[in-house]
Amino acid sequence: MIKTALLSVSEKTGIVEFARNLTAHGVSILSTGGTSTLLKQHGIDVTEVSEHTGFPEVMGGRVKTLHPKIHGGILARSNTDDAVLDKLDICPIDLVVVNLYPFEKTITNPDCTLTDAIENIDIGGPAMLRAAAKNHERVTVVVDPEDYAMIVDEIESKNNTVSKERRFVLAAKCFAHTARYDNAIASYLNKQLDAAEGRFEDAKLPQTLNLQFAIKQSMRYGENPHQTAGFYTEKNTSHGIGSAVQHCGKELSFNNIADSDAALQCVSQFDKPACVIVKHANPCGVCEAEDLKSAYDRAFQTDAESAFGGIIAFNEPLDRVTAAAIVDRQFVEVILAPQFDADALDIIQQKPNIRALEIVLNDVPEAEMDFKRVGGGLLVQTRDIDLYKELQVVSERQPSDGELRDLVFAWKVAKFVKSNAIVYAADCATIGVGAGQMSRVNSARIAGIKAEHAGLSTRGAVMASDAFFPFRDGLDNAAEAGVRAVIQPGGSMRDDEVIAAANQHSIAMLFTGMRHFRH
């Protein structure tokens, strides 16, 4: 039975109403510092921890709850430690409500000093939380304001008690909370140490990597039916596919989420209305146009076969006309957009299996890392955020304004195509995409086959290659296809031969100085 509660929170949301509900059920409240002051201001009867322990807060509040009357009251076991409690005049504490100093919020401030960060490392709070969670057989521990209402409901319905099962769930949640807190501190301090000693300074990689993700969704299976899978997200994420809101349709699958992430990243690059259609993590059709319907029509035209069962992403609110065109024309797994017009959503919901995801266009934090699991380890790299170092015309022929526009467009698409990647484009729309081949020449051939199958011509088009051409045959094949301009990173030992081939065929060629492998 809950008779005494200790409340000490940095996040004050909901704490006054929660405390009021506790006192209404006869629960005595212990509290500290700002929490105590706030509760008293609202007329709630509170006993200061220093009054309870008979020992004042000292060292500017650094020591206030680290006292046997607090930790003994939390850790005491029912029917085991009663004699000790009586002898030492320790009152059992049945409910511990604590959230910790805002360390993570503090270190996001660009003006945060190491001293500021250290001062925001909570000591007493984690100690009380761990003690309460360890003794969950008797004690209820709460770290999340969203759990207050549930605690009140249980107290009201179960005669001032919280069920054993609920206490166990809350204890597990508590240890995850303190683990995340400790991870944030360790990561920050390791980063400071690495910078001081010159380790990984340019790449901003920590010496020790601490990660914590919470499960958002369990899945029927992974990439294949025999694989178990789940979708985990970072706490309070506000960007990327992890923050998407699903309006309708079936539950997202493992592959749906992976492909949706690729589509979201790609479509986020464009300023004008754009459509990206992704199949098996590769853009199979992309267009940037004056309106969404035109962008969708031309993206679909690139490869209608591959678009079947694909993921479609837009960078502007989806309108009724475009939604109707999609539903009438093709089977689609997921449609992503920053917003859905009401009429568009009504049309999509006519097909109950289509998932509609409202997204925030990617504004990926520069510090966010990419991870790839390997046997016994983890490959970590900074995100591929930049597009190019400098656009350098290396051919005799200069690209026209239209060609330059298409070259930049094709380069943006190639960045998201699996290597080896070749993209043909014209008028800011893909014509053919060659992806994931062991030979760059074969990727070019496949892109040409796609264009021909779609009834599109590569004559006068531009071509983007995600990495340099090791031999001049790439340019010879491009000339044979009628390509008039090429964009590629450069950097091959045979760049001179490749440039000579471009000049021979009167092809305008740009070097970006930056490669975009995507494996």
Side-chain angles (χ1 to χ4, degrees):
M1 179 174 290
I2 296 176
K3 295 181 179 179
T4 302
L6 193 157
L7 278 56
S8 179
V9 295
S10 60
E11 172 52 66
K12 304 296 194 293
T13 302
I15 194 64
V16 171
E17 187 61 29
F18 184 49
R20 188 171 282 125
N21 276 306
L22 292 176
T23 56
H25 288 84
V27 178
S28 299
I29 294 178
L30 302 174
S31 192
T32 62
T35 306
S36 175
T37 300
L38 177 66
L39 297 181
K40 288 177 179 178
Q41 287 173 351
H42 285 81
I44 297 170
D45 189 20
V46 176
T47 300
E48 290 274 358
V49 162
S50 57
E51 179 185 346
H52 176 74
T53 62
F55 196 92
E57 290 187 14
V58 295
M59 302 177 190
R62 281 193 167 200
V63 179
K64 50 192 173 187
T65 60
L66 296 170
H67 190 281
K69 281 201 169 185
I70 297 300
H71 285 272
I74 296 171
L75 285 166
R77 295 160 292 182
S78 297
N79 304 318
T80 299
D81 299 314
D82 294 353
V84 176
L85 294 177
D86 289 341
K87 180 180 178 180
L88 300 177
D89 191 26
I90 295 176
C91 170
I93 296 171
D94 313 298
L95 172 64
V96 174
V97 183
V98 174
N99 50 56
L100 307 173
Y101 292 174
F103 179 83
E104 289 176 282
K105 182 178 180 181
T106 298
I107 61 176
T108 59
N109 185 337
D111 297 325
C112 174
T113 65
L114 180 59
T115 300
D116 294 334
I118 295 296
E119 283 304 308
N120 277 276
I121 296 176
D122 202 327
I123 301 300
M128 288 190 291
L129 288 177
R130 290 188 175 100
K134 176 176 180 175
N135 202 26
H136 64 269
E137 280 287 334
R138 182 182 65 80
V139 179
T140 302
V141 61
V142 181
V143 298
D144 186 351
E146 291 189 5
D147 291 328
Y148 294 167
M150 174 267 297
I151 295 295
V152 171
D153 287 344
E154 290 227 0
I155 286 174
E156 289 178 346
S157 62
K158 296 176 180 174
N159 192 28
N160 273 38
T161 63
V162 175
S163 69
K164 181 178 180 180
E165 294 77 15
R166 180 65 63 187
R167 294 197 303 272
F168 185 85
V169 169
L170 290 170
K173 186 172 183 177
C174 170
F175 280 118
H177 180 73
T178 57
R180 174 183 169 82
Y181 193 75
D182 287 341
N183 278 345
I185 295 168
S187 295
Y188 174 81
L189 293 180
N190 276 318
K191 186 174 178 181
Q192 303 306 306
L193 182 63
D194 292 337
E197 298 184 3
R199 289 194 297 264
F200 307 122
E201 188 171 7
D202 292 337
K204 302 177 184 176
L205 295 174
Q207 184 180 17
T208 303
L209 186 64
N210 298 290
L211 303 173
Q212 189 178 67
F213 293 77
I215 193 162
K216 180 176 181 177
Q217 175 188 338
S218 294
M219 296 173 170
R220 289 195 302 153
Y221 54 81
E223 281 185 292
N224 301 291
H226 62 278
Q227 294 174 270
T228 303
F231 181 32
Y232 289 75
T233 59
E234 295 174 289
K235 186 178 181 181
N236 300 324
T237 186
S238 59
H239 69 279
I241 202 66
S243 66
V245 176
Q246 184 171 349
H247 288 296
C248 61
K250 296 191 301 183
E251 215 174 56
L252 290 162
S253 72
F254 185 97
N255 293 329
N256 287 157
I257 291 173
D259 287 350
S260 294
D261 180 61
L264 171 55
Q265 290 186 50
C266 186
V267 83
S268 294
Q269 300 180 105
F270 300 104
D271 297 322
K272 290 184 177 180
C275 173
V276 174
I277 305 176
V278 165
K279 188 69 171 290
H280 295 303
N282 276 299
C284 61
V286 182
C287 179
E288 186 179 35
E290 295 303 318
D291 61 84
L292 284 195
K293 173 63 164 51
S294 299
Y296 165 65
D297 286 342
R298 296 188 63 203
F300 179 81
Q301 185 182 20
T302 305
D303 190 352
E305 282 185 341
S306 297
F308 181 86
I311 310 291
I312 305 177
F314 298 96
N315 62 350
E316 291 195 351
L318 186 64
D319 58 88
R320 178 186 61 80
V321 173
T322 308
I326 295 170
V327 171
D328 290 344
R329 181 180 289 163
Q330 69 169 109
F331 167 59
V332 57
E333 292 273 6
V334 184
I335 301 175
L336 299 92
Q339 189 178 327
F340 292 82
D341 291 354
D343 290 344
L345 206 53
D346 287 342
I347 290 169
I348 293 170
Q349 289 172 331
Q350 293 173 15
K351 302 285 186 178
N353 289 337
I354 299 178
R355 297 91 161 170
L357 287 188
E358 186 173 318
I359 53 169
V360 175
L361 293 173
N362 260 3
D363 184 15
V364 179
E366 189 174 346
E368 188 170 284
M369 299 289 180
D370 268 337
F371 307 106
K372 188 186 290 279
R373 191 73 165 91
V374 295
L378 193 69
L379 286 170
V380 181
Q381 63 180 351
T382 55
R383 295 294 296 262
D384 186 10
I385 295 174
D386 296 327
L387 194 59
Y388 44 74
K389 288 183 178 178
E390 182 182 1
L391 290 179
Q392 179 186 6
V393 180
V394 295
S395 58
E396 293 173 357
R397 188 172 80 79
Q398 297 285 315
S400 67
D401 290 344
E403 287 170 343
L404 182 59
R405 179 197 63 205
D406 287 342
L407 286 167
V408 173
F409 167 84
W411 185 246
K412 289 179 179 179
V413 177
K415 179 181 173 184
F416 291 95
V417 177
K418 300 289 186 182
S419 297
N420 287 308
I422 294 291
V423 176
Y424 291 134
D427 298 325
C428 289
T430 50
I431 291 174
V433 178
Q437 300 304 303
M438 290 69 78
S439 160
R440 190 162 301 281
V441 173
N442 282 339
S443 285
R445 291 191 184 110
I446 290 170
I449 291 169
K450 293 281 189 181
E452 183 179 359
H453 187 73
L456 301 171
S457 175
T458 56
R459 296 287 163 189
V462 305
M463 180 172 74
S465 171
D466 65 338
F468 63 66
F469 290 100
F471 303 100
R472 65 167 287 158
D473 57 357
L475 269 292
D476 293 332
N477 289 333
E480 188 176 344
V483 167
R484 295 290 295 149
V486 171
I487 187 168
Q488 56 133 323
S492 167
M493 291 174 56
R494 298 179 178 84
D495 271 350
D496 289 344
E497 295 178 21
V498 176
I499 293 170
N503 290 334
Q504 180 182 333
H505 299 298
S506 295
I507 291 176
M509 187 160 66
L510 271 64
F511 282 0
T512 65
M514 181 174 286
R515 187 183 74 187
H516 289 300
F517 273 170
R518 190 175 178 87
H519 293 109

